[in-house]
Amino acid sequence: MMMTTPVTVQRCERCGNEQAEASSAVECPICGGLLELLHRVEEDAATLRARFDERLAHSLAPDGAAPTRSGVWRYRELILPVARDADIVTHPEGNTPLLRRASVATWAGVDALFLKHEGHNPTGSFKDRGMTVAVTQARRLGAPAVACASTGNTSASLASYASHAGIPALVVVPKGKVALGKLAQTLAYGARTLVIDGDFDDCLQLVRAAGEALGVYLVNSVNPFRIEGQKAIALELLQQLGWEPPDWIVVPAGNLGNTAAIGKALVEARKIGLIARVPRVAAVQAAGAAPFAQAFATGFRRRASVRAETVASAIRIGDPASWDRAVRTMRETDGVAIAVSDDEILEAKAAIDGSGVGCEPGSAAAVAGVRSLVRQGLVRPGDHVVAILTGHILKDPEILVQAGGNRPVEIEGTLSEVARVLNYNGE
């Protein structure tokens, strides 16, 4: 009897061992390496482009099926082709804008700067793109519960999507290191939230142990299905640019899942023929949480870890889980990894906020990184650059109060006081 090749398999990125797509393991049972999904794509690039464009045209139809409206499942042939509509857990997510603001471009030092604002996702961050796929897979596997460690955005997203799916959610967060907006979402959506005295890396170690011992399904970015969903960031921005790739894609880098996902999407898109060339990827870390940037500077001769500390809580991670995947992105896209200071991050945030766009501090690292790369001569002023803004401005409201330059002015309730503040002289 002739054996057919599976549509999707999981392969270890370290030793090459393959296992079934339906396996619940998030690491290789032989060597402990991270897994990646490989899909058999049978259509040519022209067919896929036409299908993606047709789905985009129907994405706003109020009577359409939710997967049709999703900016992730639009690319289902490249994300998880084996999922049925009935399996899919979607809000829907994606369809985030590609913005241009002249003031931000001038601040960064480039003529053509696009801001891909993932803060427009349902729970306010890019995490929704990966979570729709990971929780869909949890439903397909019949997982009794789902779990994650988080600095805030992952937990908010997981809590929401688990609630949609009717699956119990367990979240572990570091005490005193999660922004109020993110913690509030996690609690409101109903996740059982555990707080420990440690950092994100301690949380991840605990939740991974819980996954192995208690059978809950881990949905941190070590989960390959999360990476598949996050690939849609790159696929969607390419589609928005008419499949003409930019020169650079610049992304904030914490646990390195986005760095890995964007690189994987670009390489696959080039292999299929959706794009003619691969843009360079720049991973930007905060100086106080920059093990990847430090290792990049030495040619990745050894893996580094640090005790992370930065105002950008979303990327406050000292031992990134998707390290090997991100190294692969650097090599396959001729990428770079750099670090920017907290002062640079807050200055970039002020420029983004002041343009009317707004973002959380971790997002602003991308634009701070663009400016740094221009000053280093790596990005030319005439290059076309896309900076990924990963989270909404209200994700970290404390920073707006503590570090924002625009403060409320208390006055007496009279018209003359209003005129005084506005410096209005009646002319």
Side-chain angles (χ1 to χ4, degrees):
M1 183 175 68
M2 181 179 294
M3 299 293 291
T4 59
T5 304
V7 174
T8 299
V9 297
Q10 299 190 65
R11 184 182 70 183
C12 176
E13 297 179 0
R14 183 185 299 166
C15 73
N17 173 59
E18 290 189 0
Q19 56 185 340
E21 161 270 321
S23 169
S24 62
V26 295
E27 60 184 26
C28 177
I30 294 177
C31 73
L34 294 179
L35 302 172
E36 67 172 338
L37 295 186
L38 300 178
H39 311 297
R40 187 177 76 243
V41 180
E42 297 177 336
E43 295 91 348
D44 61 21
T47 300
L48 287 172
R49 282 182 182 174
R51 186 175 301 151
F52 298 157
D53 288 344
E54 181 182 5
R55 289 173 182 162
L56 176 61
H58 291 89
S59 64
L60 298 180
D63 57 346
T68 302
R69 301 199 305 273
S70 169
V72 172
W73 296 102
R74 177 184 311 141
Y75 313 103
R76 62 196 304 166
E77 290 83 0
L78 310 182
I79 302 294
L80 190 60
V82 293
R84 303 171 304 163
D85 279 6
D87 299 325
I88 293 173
V89 183
T90 178
H91 202 59
E93 51 292 311
N95 299 305
T96 61
L98 197 61
L99 307 171
R100 295 190 71 172
R101 294 294 183 272
S103 61
V104 181
T106 299
W107 183 90
V110 290
D111 300 327
L113 176 62
F114 296 87
L115 306 174
K116 179 65 170 165
H117 206 327
E118 291 297 293
H120 288 241
N121 273 289
T123 74
S125 86
F126 76 93
K127 302 287 187 176
D128 295 343
R129 290 190 184 264
M131 206 58 70
T132 180
V133 183
V135 175
T136 290
Q137 185 65 3
R139 172 187 272 179
R140 296 179 70 237
L141 295 173
V146 287
C148 75
S150 181
T151 58
N153 281 332
T154 300
S155 63
S157 184
L158 171 61
S160 173
Y161 280 80
S163 181
H164 279 298
I167 302 174
L170 174 68
V171 168
V172 182
V173 299
K175 182 179 180 180
K177 296 181 179 179
V178 178
L180 179 60
K182 303 171 187 178
L183 182 59
Q185 285 182 286
T186 304
L187 297 172
Y189 295 137
R192 179 60 61 90
T193 304
L194 308 180
V195 181
I196 70 168
D197 190 8
D199 61 12
F200 169 82
D201 303 304
D202 298 320
C203 294
L204 182 58
Q205 183 178 2
L206 178 60
V207 80
R208 292 183 80 162
E212 294 173 4
L214 305 177
V216 297
Y217 188 62
L218 182 65
V219 295
N220 278 98
S221 59
V222 293
N223 185 310
F225 294 86
R226 276 277 307 278
I227 298 299
E228 292 304 293
Q230 288 167 216
K231 282 174 18 182
I233 299 172
L235 296 171
E236 188 173 86
L237 74 85
L238 290 170
Q239 186 178 22
Q240 289 170 317
L241 294 173
W243 302 103
E244 181 60 38
D247 297 301
W248 289 87
I249 298 177
V250 184
V251 60
N255 217 21
L256 300 177
N258 254 354
T259 303
I262 288 171
K264 188 172 190 287
L266 295 173
V267 171
E268 290 175 353
R270 173 65 184 88
K271 182 178 180 181
I272 295 168
L274 290 172
I275 56 176
R277 59 180 177 81
V278 172
R280 299 183 72 180
V281 174
V284 185
Q285 296 197 293
F292 192 70
Q294 293 170 15
F296 174 83
T298 67
F300 295 116
R301 285 197 295 269
R302 65 179 181 85
R303 179 166 178 163
S305 64
V306 301
R307 181 61 72 174
E309 190 54 57
T310 171
V311 70
S313 62
I315 54 175
R316 191 191 290 144
I317 296 170
D319 188 16
S322 290
W323 185 281
D324 292 341
R325 293 168 172 163
V327 171
R328 181 176 171 184
T329 290
M330 294 293 98
R331 291 173 175 162
E332 292 183 333
T333 70
D334 189 23
V336 299
I338 64 169
V340 293
S341 70
D342 278 4
D343 286 345
E344 291 173 294
I345 288 172
L346 292 176
E347 189 179 349
K349 176 173 164 53
I352 298 163
D353 293 352
S355 75
V357 172
C359 68
E360 68 170 321
S363 299
V367 175
V370 175
R371 189 188 212 188
S372 179
L373 291 166
V374 170
R375 290 177 170 179
Q376 294 176 46
L378 290 171
V379 170
R380 297 167 298 182
D383 284 348
H384 285 216
V385 182
V386 177
I388 309 298
L389 303 183
T390 47
H392 194 277
I393 188 173
L394 294 180
K395 282 287 189 171
D396 205 339
E398 297 94 333
I399 293 297
L400 297 174
V401 176
Q402 296 167 7
N406 187 21
R407 300 298 179 93
V409 179
E410 185 173 343
I411 65 168
E412 294 180 5
T414 66
L415 182 58
S416 61
E417 278 290 277
V418 175
R420 179 185 64 79
V421 172
L422 296 178
N423 197 26
Y424 180 73
N425 59 16
E427 296 179 1

